Amino acid sequence: MLTKAQFDVLVTLASAPEPSQRRLAQAAGVSLGSTNKAVHELLDGGLVTGRDGDIAITEAGRAALAPHRVRGAIILAAGMGRRFVPLSFERPKALFRVRGEVLIERLIRQLREAGVEDIHVVVGPMKESFYYLEDMLGVHLVQTNEYVTRNNHASLFAAREFLGNTYVCPSDQYYDENLFHAYEYRSCCTAVHTSGKDAKQAFELGAGGLVVAAKKELREAWRMDGPAYLDEALARDYVRVLAEEYDLPETLGKLWETVLLEHADTLHIYARKIDEGIIHEFDFLGDLCDFDTDFMENVDSSILDNICRTLGCTRDDIRDVRPLDSGLTNLSVLFSCKGQRYVYRHPGAGTEQIVNREAETYALKVASRLGLDTSFVYEDYESGWKISRYISDCTEFDYDDEHQVAQALSIARRLHRCGVTSPWRFDFYDESRKIVGLLRDEGWPLPDDFEQREEQIARLVGPMRAGAGRPVLCHNDFYGPNLLVHGDDICLIDWEYAAMGDYGCDFGNFVAQGSGYDVDRALAVLPLYFGRTPTAEERLHCIACVAVVGWYWYVWALFKECKGSPVGEWTRIWYDAAKRFGAAAQAMIDESAKATRALTRAEFDALVAVEAGDARQAGTDRQAVLDALTNEGLVRAEGAGPKRAWGLTTSGFMALEPYRAKRAVFFAAGFGSRMLPITVNTPKPLVRVHGKRFIERLLDAVIAAGIEEIYVVRGYLAEEFDILLKRYPQIRFIDNPLYDETNNISSAVAAVEAHPHCFEQAYAFESDLYLTDPSYISKYQYQSNYLGFHVNETRDWYFEADEEGRITKLAKDLGRDCWQMVGLSFWSAADGRRLARDLPAVFEATDDNRQIFWDDVPCRVCADSYDVHVRACDPSHIIEIDSFAELQEVDPSYRPRG
């Protein structure tokens, strides 16, 4: 092993042979005595040849140096550069041009001059800005996405396979001297003498310059600054330590150097002392401007141009620039100009997909006119940047201060009653569905209970919309941080989502976004908005709005995380609001539904027609019924004569709730023997007809009807059904282990044993129906029923029914003047509960009962307990394909060619 003096001599000779030991000592930077001793030792070892006037390194000497050869460098360039806003919004800090050179280009050239060839650059935000370096300077890029949530230890960890005999360098420093070498004796870090409490990465030195301690506060110490060199042994040990601590919560915010210094007792690294002033580090934009006085004037920045053009200033007028931490959607910076303070808002990543900037600009102008937002200066809606006046001396909005709450809610009421109409609308539920679609398109992994929460919110939408009234201009992000309290005034800022909408959603934002309110507290402050005691419908409406708004922001947070910008604790705040207030609103709905009376068939048909928007049919055919329903408060009428329009009230929705289809059960366990050979490897429900699977047409119709709970009972080739989950993640599978021993009654029994309520307000399907008209699967059904079509004669399964359509017989023999059965039925809540009771009892009663069809239970064995009707259908709209021959007849692609 070489001594340090021997190493220094060999390195000097390897680069330029020296004619004398004195000149060799000067070049190597060691004393003449040490040089003489080292040369004699090297001569004895055969590592150099010659004498005083002609000393040269041998091949053995070069081989001795080989382990010390610097193999490469890792440049850390994945930082966000937050302290360099707004310029870092446009380009990474490492790409700033300082004194005529791009920082990272200068660094790479210095490495190349020292003979370091294998250079890897770790990139993160705006990674595409670095691509040119691969061709221009021959470097390799390593991408990391963890720069958002972690400090630079994550960047080094991403490049760990390249670590060893390598320099680790920050990308945004400027070195007056070239600090790099072709060879390094041992692991080392550049060290600058420091003093004071603000010293970063401070440490003390032991014998030979060994870093022996890392302390937070040292009056006199050294600190790491600039590049560090890690040899193979230290690199291996460091990566092991970092891997062990990587997932610890306390590691998230640590610099890579911090991890090293915390383990200085086992991770040995030596200090290479340098004078202050050689390394220039720029913590803030002001530091950089002091170093390069022409920087602001020369930097290519459209942001600075925007500010100058808007405020009529020069770049020299822009001063005291610093980032603002607030804001979840965008990036903002505070600056001074001509004695005034302003905020520059830069649009955040991905916001163009979810924010209508033109609508925001329109609303800002309205808010400025109304005096609701006194901060607005200008917005460019095409690119999304905005300049606002900075309102100083603001205090945080206090949700527990009733005076402030009353003042804030009066601002909302004033906005809603201003009478201004925006060309744009914003519906929180519709927008949430768009974001969920984006998440699913991205393949983002959704939480396990996502579909459950999604179904909970979907159930609230109809009643919520019924109580909305006419759309009004809404802020749509109305919550504490956007309410700037200054003195006795409140300024409402951030109008990104402003548009026509539901008044209750501004209250929903106020509560859902960090108020800390529970349901009781939310209801207690609601009169401060109305200026009176709200009605029961208004209370329900506003609580439902809190849930839907919470849901919107929750899925918005998931989308931001998907795009690499997580919003931290807000995700949980919004999730809790959606869950807690959703449950409260549903309880209010259920309680109201209990108090509603049963509807007559005529009333039911009229309400369904109004809910579906078929006002003309409802108005002409059911005028007397609608007038009565209007008087009862279930329907509201607007206008008169031919232009008269009808709409459901919240009470109308409550009246329909007991008739709403909530569930669907698919029987899909059978073998499908009559469909051979196609069912050898494919369960019959998964067979394609005209390019689409049997069950997919049924599922699409069920989902279009707003049905949230979907159960598929499977048996034969059960795992093949998993393919449906990609498109229909809400499916809940139920496995029937008895499918090949019993008739389909065992599938119905398996369903009620797994989910006892699955038949309540539920459709039940044979999964091999070819559906061409999805309207048969409607949102509401008045009573339990089977689809059927009238025939003069049949030997297939048929029903007989009385004059009211009630089924009196189910059979399969020679039937005349009857209804041929179709395997699609609906079950009321009461009959669904009876099925949960009767199916297992009948199944277990006798061995013979294990071989009957499940339909036999309500229509034959226990028929006296059920009230089931026939619902007429067109046989061409829903076809039962029982055999392969019938499949070939419906879909010619299955016929033999030729």
Side-chain angles (χ1 to χ4, degrees):
M1 180 177 178
L2 297 174
T3 66
K4 182 64 166 63
Q6 292 170 351
F7 169 81
D8 290 336
V9 170
L10 287 177
V11 168
T12 304
L13 291 174
S15 57
E18 298 296 329
S20 69
Q21 290 189 23
R22 183 175 298 279
R23 294 182 63 183
L24 184 62
Q26 292 173 346
V30 296
S31 68
L32 180 60
S34 297
T35 300
N36 291 336
K37 180 182 178 184
V39 168
H40 285 295
E41 291 168 347
L42 294 171
L43 284 168
D44 292 342
L47 304 183
V48 300
T49 61
R51 291 297 168 188
D52 186 56
D54 187 19
I55 302 172
I57 189 169
T58 65
E59 288 303 314
R62 294 186 184 278
L65 275 181
H68 302 275
R69 177 73 187 184
V70 177
R71 184 166 59 86
I74 296 173
I75 300 176
L76 306 180
M80 298 285 286
R82 294 187 186 277
R83 289 180 290 184
F84 273 71
V85 296
L87 301 183
S88 57
F89 295 160
E90 298 177 295
R91 64 176 54 82
K93 183 180 172 185
L95 296 181
F96 288 174
R97 186 174 294 274
V98 179
R99 292 187 175 179
E101 293 182 278
V102 175
L103 286 173
I104 196 170
E105 291 179 16
R106 175 182 172 85
L107 177 63
I108 293 168
R109 290 191 181 99
Q110 288 180 325
L111 285 163
R112 291 275 194 258
E113 290 168 4
V116 180
E117 296 297 329
D118 191 22
I119 301 174
H120 290 80
V121 181
V122 184
V123 296
M126 293 181 277
K127 55 187 176 296
E128 63 280 355
S129 302
F130 294 95
Y131 291 167
Y132 79 99
L133 293 174
E134 294 179 308
D135 294 329
M136 178 179 173
L137 295 174
V139 301
H140 311 284
L141 301 185
V142 177
Q143 181 178 336
T144 178
N145 294 321
E146 293 199 278
Y147 60 87
V148 177
T149 56
R150 291 180 174 272
N151 214 318
N152 68 3
H153 68 272
S155 294
L156 192 55
F157 196 66
R160 61 191 179 278
E161 64 180 294
F162 310 112
L163 189 62
N165 279 25
T166 50
Y167 287 113
V168 178
C169 312
S171 62
D172 54 4
Q173 293 179 337
Y174 186 102
Y175 305 147
D176 282 341
E177 299 176 6
N178 194 328
L179 302 177
F180 305 107
H181 306 90
Y183 297 92
E184 291 285 1
Y185 182 61
R186 59 194 174 191
S187 296
C188 61
C189 61
T190 49
V192 178
H193 189 265
T194 188
S195 61
K197 295 182 178 181
D198 295 331
K200 297 183 298 182
Q201 310 303 331
F203 53 82
E204 296 175 322
L205 299 180
L210 179 67
V211 175
V212 296
K215 298 181 180 178
K216 291 183 178 180
E217 293 185 10
L218 296 170
R219 290 189 176 182
E220 298 292 333
W222 297 85
R223 63 180 172 86
M224 290 183 67
D225 201 1
Y229 174 77
L230 276 66
D231 64 18
E232 294 284 359
L234 179 58
R236 182 174 57 253
D237 292 341
Y238 177 82
V239 170
R240 174 183 52 78
V241 169
L242 182 55
E244 291 171 353
E245 298 186 357
Y246 196 81
D247 292 325
L248 297 177
E250 56 267 29
T251 302
L252 284 173
K254 290 182 181 179
L255 296 166
W256 80 266
E257 302 100 314
T258 303
V259 177
L260 176 68
L261 294 176
E262 286 177 346
H263 296 272
D265 56 336
T266 57
L267 301 178
H268 292 163
I269 191 167
Y270 292 81
R272 174 181 289 149
K273 302 175 184 178
I274 63 170
D275 295 332
E276 287 192 72
I278 295 175
I279 296 175
H280 300 278
E281 183 175 12
F282 314 113
D283 289 332
F284 296 96
L285 185 56
D287 299 335
L288 182 52
C289 292
D290 291 340
F291 180 74
D292 182 354
T293 55
D294 295 327
F295 177 78
M296 283 290 280
E297 190 63 33
N298 295 330
V299 66
D300 180 17
S301 171
S302 61
I303 291 177
L304 295 180
D305 292 340
N306 293 338
I307 293 173
C308 291
R309 186 169 55 252
T310 302
L311 299 181
C313 65
T314 67
R315 291 187 175 190
D316 287 339
D317 293 325
I318 302 171
R319 301 179 179 276
D320 303 324
V321 181
R322 65 178 178 86
L324 286 176
D325 293 331
S326 59
L328 298 173
T329 308
N330 307 292
L331 309 167
S332 296
V333 59
L334 180 65
F335 67 95
S336 295
C337 180
K338 297 181 179 179
Q340 297 290 324
R341 297 289 273 164
Y342 296 92
V343 175
Y344 178 89
R345 192 277 307 279
H346 191 72
T351 54
E352 71 282 354
Q353 294 179 269
I354 55 178
V355 175
N356 183 335
R357 297 296 182 189
E358 191 172 3
E360 177 191 22
T361 303
Y362 179 90
L364 275 165
K365 292 177 180 178
V366 172
S368 182
R369 268 198 324 270
L370 293 173
L372 302 180
D373 185 351
T374 56
S375 69
F376 176 62
V377 176
Y378 180 80
E379 177 173 12
D380 184 316
Y381 67 80
E382 291 182 347
S383 55
W385 62 268
K386 182 182 71 168
I387 295 177
S388 304
R389 297 179 189 86
Y390 178 70
I391 300 177
S392 60
D393 301 322
C394 290
T395 58
E396 186 175 344
F397 181 82
D398 186 354
Y399 276 98
D400 294 324
D401 185 324
E402 188 162 336
H403 175 72
Q404 289 188 17
V405 172
Q407 192 175 3
L409 293 178
S410 70
I411 289 173
R413 185 169 66 251
R414 181 180 171 194
L415 174 65
H416 299 159
R417 296 179 180 179
C418 71
V420 176
T421 300
S422 168
W424 297 274
R425 65 182 294 274
F426 189 93
D427 184 292
F428 275 90
Y429 181 66
D430 288 346
E431 295 301 319
S432 75
R433 294 183 69 184
K434 292 178 185 177
I435 298 174
V436 171
L438 292 173
L439 287 168
R440 286 182 168 136
D441 288 345
E442 293 277 354
W444 187 252
L446 298 172
D448 289 343
D449 70 341
F450 188 86
E451 281 77 27
Q452 181 183 355
R453 298 279 78 79
E454 189 176 24
E455 293 166 5
Q456 178 190 48
I457 296 301
R459 289 195 294 269
L460 304 178
V461 174
M464 182 189 78
R465 287 178 174 167
R470 293 188 177 187
V472 295
L473 183 58
C474 296
H475 183 273
N476 291 325
D477 196 11
F478 186 79
Y479 78 127
N482 288 338
L483 294 160
L484 302 186
V485 180
H486 53 109
D488 293 329
D489 296 323
I490 293 180
C491 178
L492 179 58
I493 63 170
D494 286 357
W495 296 75
E496 285 185 301
Y497 298 90
M500 304 301 288
D502 182 338
Y503 79 90
C505 287
D506 272 345
F507 181 80
N509 275 284
F510 186 75
V511 175
Q513 298 210 64
S515 70
Y517 290 177
D518 58 16
V519 175
D520 290 340
R521 176 60 179 157
L523 290 171
V525 302
L526 192 53
L528 298 177
Y529 170 80
F530 287 103
R532 57 172 171 78
T533 301
T535 66
E537 287 192 3
E538 289 168 339
R539 287 159 58 90
L540 167 59
H541 175 73
C542 290
I543 294 301
C545 284
V546 177
V548 172
V549 168
W551 172 253
Y552 168 83
W553 289 115
Y554 170 60
V555 299
W556 179 89
L558 296 181
F559 178 77
K560 290 288 285 184
E561 186 174 356
C562 171
K563 290 297 182 180
S565 301
V567 299
E569 65 179 2
W570 283 103
T571 305
R572 181 55 189 264
I573 290 171
W574 294 325
Y575 170 86
D576 286 344
K579 182 178 179 180
R580 290 189 292 111
F581 283 83
Q586 188 60 54
M588 295 168 76
I589 291 171
D590 293 343
E591 192 63 30
S592 297
K594 289 178 184 177
T596 60
R597 62 174 178 80
L599 299 172
T600 67
R601 184 61 195 240
E603 290 171 334
F604 169 83
D605 290 341
L607 288 177
V608 169
V610 171
E611 192 277 337
D614 195 355
R616 180 173 300 176
Q617 178 186 354
T620 57
D621 298 344
R622 305 185 175 96
Q623 184 67 56
V625 175
L626 284 168
D627 287 342
L629 293 173
T630 302
N631 292 334
E632 194 175 342
L634 303 183
V635 172
R636 63 174 178 270
E638 297 179 358
K643 294 184 178 181
R644 192 177 194 187
W646 303 89
L648 286 188
T649 64
T650 303
S651 296
F653 271 98
M654 297 303 99
L656 278 178
E657 186 65 13
Y659 305 93
R660 181 171 64 86
K662 296 181 177 181
R663 303 171 183 87
V665 181
F666 291 85
F667 298 113
F671 173 51
S673 59
R674 287 183 292 172
M675 289 283 280
L676 289 170
I678 198 169
T679 52
V680 170
N681 298 312
T682 304
K684 186 178 177 183
L686 298 183
V687 171
R688 295 181 185 271
V689 183
H690 293 295
K692 196 167 188 176
R693 298 179 178 95
F694 278 119
I695 198 170
E696 287 180 334
R697 294 179 188 274
L698 300 172
L699 287 167
D700 288 344
V702 162
I703 292 168
I707 294 171
E708 306 95 10
E709 295 181 36
I710 300 174
Y711 305 96
V712 175
V713 186
R714 59 186 184 175
Y716 174 63
L717 297 178
E719 66 282 354
E720 295 296 317
F721 287 90
D722 290 344
I723 197 172
L724 297 173
L725 291 174
K726 183 175 182 180
R727 184 174 177 184
Y728 309 102
Q730 60 269 64
I731 288 176
R732 305 176 194 181
F733 288 120
I734 300 169
D735 291 324
N736 176 13
L738 302 177
Y739 76 92
D740 57 349
E741 302 173 16
T742 63
N743 210 327
N744 71 0
I745 187 174
S746 62
S747 289
V749 171
V752 296
E753 288 180 344
H755 300 280
H757 302 289
C758 66
F759 284 104
E760 296 176 23
Q761 293 176 245
Y763 285 104
F765 298 85
E766 298 300 329
S767 299
D768 53 2
L769 298 173
Y770 176 51
L771 180 68
T772 62
D773 183 358
S775 67
Y776 288 110
I777 304 170
S778 58
K779 188 182 299 185
Y780 299 100
Q781 290 290 333
Y782 186 63
Q783 58 202 356
S784 300
N785 62 74
Y786 271 89
L787 283 186
F789 53 91
H790 191 268
V791 292
N792 293 324
E793 183 177 300
T794 183
R795 289 190 177 275
D796 206 337
W797 286 98
Y798 68 89
F799 300 117
E800 290 181 357
D802 61 21
E803 293 180 355
E804 295 180 354
R806 183 180 292 105
I807 294 173
T808 58
K809 179 181 179 180
L810 167 66
K812 187 180 181 183
D813 49 34
L814 180 58
R816 292 187 173 90
D817 189 22
C818 56
W819 297 85
Q820 187 160 318
M821 177 184 180
V822 176
L824 195 167
S825 58
F826 176 84
W827 301 92
S828 68
D831 282 340
R833 288 190 289 272
R834 294 183 186 104
L835 285 171
R837 176 197 65 196
D838 294 340
L839 283 165
V842 172
F843 181 73
E844 297 293 344
T846 68
D847 289 341
D848 289 343
N849 284 357
R850 291 173 173 254
Q851 303 306 322
I852 64 175
F853 289 94
W854 82 274
D855 318 81
D856 285 316
V857 174
C859 296
R860 186 177 58 81
V861 180
C862 303
D864 291 342
S865 299
Y866 294 82
D867 183 21
V868 189
H869 290 65
V870 173
R871 183 159 60 103
C873 67
D874 185 327
S876 66
H877 292 167
I878 184 163
I879 304 169
E880 294 192 76
I881 302 176
D882 290 328
S883 67
F884 187 62
E886 292 175 2
L887 177 63
Q888 291 175 311
E889 183 177 342
V890 173
D891 187 346
S893 66
Y894 286 100
R895 298 173 187 171
R897 295 183 179 179

